[in-house]
Amino acid sequence: MNLKGRNFLKLLDFTPEEIGFLLDVAATLKDERKNGISHAQLPNKNIALIFEKTSTRTRCSFEVAAHGLGMHVTYLDPSASQIGRKESIADSARVLGRLYDGIEYRGFEQSIVEELAAHAGVPVWNGLTNEFHPTQILADFLTIREHFGHLRGINFVYMGDARYNMGNSLMVGCAKMGLNFTCCAPKKYFPEGELIEECKRIAAETGATLTFEEDPMKATKGADVIYTDVWVSMGEPVEVWAERINDLSPYQVNRALMDNAGPQCRFMHCLPAYHDKKTVVGREMCERFGREDLEVTDEVFESDQSIVFDEAENRMHTIKAVMACTLGARQ
């Protein structure tokens, strides 16, 4: 399958077969790395990483993956890029596209990464926008496949605020790959209606199901995967914490929900997670609101059912697959 020259902006742009191919390539690259087999197939290639929102896992995953493929990396942090401020997005894209073989963008509106892709002339990869986070979903699906042996028919439950990149992208990914997706949250935290309808049309072709449920016990009964994310998205003001904690506390992933799902159930989280008070933000918010943890309890996070660190490692392998395929190293 030839994905050379393609952008990787959102999973809606890819067929189930293409997504499956990327997962297969990621699994192969992971196996090669663990067996000491070099796959530095892109020597002297250069990529730019534009980070308007900082991240540990995304930056490290792209850098390690690029080095493993033999490439050189330039990292542009929020203070190092003038994109959209002193220089238009289109102009920045046309400059960077002449210097680099590929560009990653992690930041704000999806329209920014779409405009970069429209003008760069080289593959552009979405490291996260407000609307979508496609590289995370590839890592999630590789992890599920490793633990269950398949994706189709998996009962997947997303707990919490599903209006932004993770809820959107997981719903799209499940619809594309035939997983049974359940969003469990108050109605006002469900994904946007137009995207739901688009995913329903996709699901009708793949055999996936989409369910929207407000009752956590109904939603998690028989779940194979329970997934959550932080209750306040990156870049949102601290003032929204009180509203989110009030609204989403009943949707915390805890032992009762895991037991309700059954022993087969695995817990997933894209990280970072506020499962204890060992971070500045976690400690501040837990103490302010009289809590020991937020979206997930420490008991669940540290349990044998938690596969969050398999998931975190797989960010690198799946990102490597995306770059290798879109730059023509794997077909």
Side-chain angles (χ1 to χ4, degrees):
M1 186 172 291
N2 187 357
L3 301 180
K4 185 177 181 180
R6 293 277 296 276
N7 300 304
F8 189 74
L9 308 181
K10 57 187 183 298
L11 292 183
L12 286 169
D13 299 333
F14 288 79
T15 67
E17 293 75 21
E18 289 169 337
I19 295 168
F21 174 70
L22 287 169
L23 294 175
D24 289 343
V25 171
T28 298
L29 290 169
K30 181 175 182 177
D31 185 65
E32 288 177 1
R33 185 175 190 264
K34 291 188 179 300
N35 286 288
I37 300 171
S38 174
H39 40 241
Q41 297 173 274
L42 296 169
N44 302 317
K45 295 284 188 181
N46 292 278
I47 65 167
L49 307 181
I50 303 172
F51 276 64
E52 294 194 298
K53 289 183 179 179
T54 58
S55 169
T56 300
R57 278 155 304 284
T58 302
R59 177 182 177 179
C60 293
S61 294
F62 267 100
E63 289 193 349
V64 174
H67 294 153
L69 291 169
M71 297 193 290
H72 306 291
V73 177
T74 300
Y75 172 73
L76 300 173
D77 67 22
S79 66
S81 170
Q82 298 301 331
I83 185 169
R85 290 186 288 273
K86 292 185 178 179
E87 184 172 52
S88 71
I89 295 165
D91 288 356
S92 295
R94 285 180 284 187
V95 171
L96 294 174
R98 293 187 177 215
L99 301 177
Y100 292 96
D101 300 289
I103 302 167
E104 179 271 354
Y105 173 83
R106 178 183 173 92
F108 298 96
E109 289 80 13
Q110 180 73 13
S111 60
I112 297 175
V113 75
E114 298 277 354
E115 189 170 0
L116 276 172
H119 295 280
V122 297
V124 173
W125 311 299
N126 181 0
L128 174 142
T129 63
N130 293 342
E131 294 89 347
F132 294 107
H133 196 0
T135 60
Q136 178 66 54
I137 277 56
L138 288 185
D140 297 338
F141 283 6
L142 179 61
T143 307
I144 292 170
R145 203 171 74 170
E146 288 173 343
H147 282 267
F148 291 92
H150 62 97
L151 292 175
R152 187 172 297 276
I154 289 290
N155 294 318
F156 185 102
V157 180
Y158 181 82
M159 304 288 297
D161 191 347
R163 299 172 296 173
Y164 301 112
N165 45 44
M166 285 308 303
N168 288 343
S169 296
L170 286 166
M171 180 173 66
V172 170
C174 287
K176 287 275 186 178
M177 301 306 288
L179 290 78
N180 300 318
F181 176 82
T182 298
C183 168
C184 185
K187 283 185 179 179
K188 70 178 184 178
Y189 292 100
F190 289 173
E192 190 268 333
E194 187 175 338
L195 182 61
I196 290 175
E197 291 306 311
E198 185 169 5
C199 287
K200 284 182 177 179
R201 290 192 292 271
I202 296 168
E205 298 177 359
T206 65
T209 63
L210 302 181
T211 304
F212 300 89
E213 176 59 65
E214 293 188 83
D215 185 329
M217 297 304 281
K218 287 183 180 178
T220 57
K221 188 67 175 177
D224 296 310
V225 174
I226 297 178
Y227 197 118
T228 194
D229 190 7
V230 293
W231 287 338
V232 177
S233 298
M234 187 180 300
E236 292 188 278
V238 70
E239 291 77 21
V240 305
W241 277 98
E243 177 186 12
R244 298 287 172 77
I245 288 176
N246 178 69
D247 291 346
L248 296 176
S249 288
Y251 300 89
Q252 180 194 63
V253 181
N254 51 37
R255 176 47 54 192
L257 286 190
M258 297 299 291
D259 288 345
N260 184 56
Q264 81 291 339
C265 186
R266 295 294 177 263
F267 170 72
M268 300 182 73
H269 193 303
C270 54
L271 301 181
Y274 297 130
H275 59 99
D276 55 27
K277 298 179 181 179
K278 295 179 182 178
T279 63
V280 172
V281 175
R283 181 171 62 252
E284 177 186 350
M285 294 304 158
C286 284
E287 291 177 355
R288 179 180 296 185
F289 295 100
R291 301 179 61 89
E292 292 300 315
D293 34 43
L294 294 172
E295 73 276 5
V296 59
T297 64
D298 193 57
E299 179 185 19
V300 169
F301 187 88
E302 297 291 355
S303 72
D304 290 340
Q305 290 174 282
S306 174
I307 55 176
V308 297
F309 295 109
D310 293 347
E311 191 182 355
E313 177 192 341
N314 282 338
R315 289 295 306 283
M316 188 269 288
H317 303 299
T318 48
I319 284 171
K320 185 184 288 184
V322 168
M323 292 193 295
C325 291
T326 58
L327 292 175
R330 296 285 169 125
Q331 295 183 18

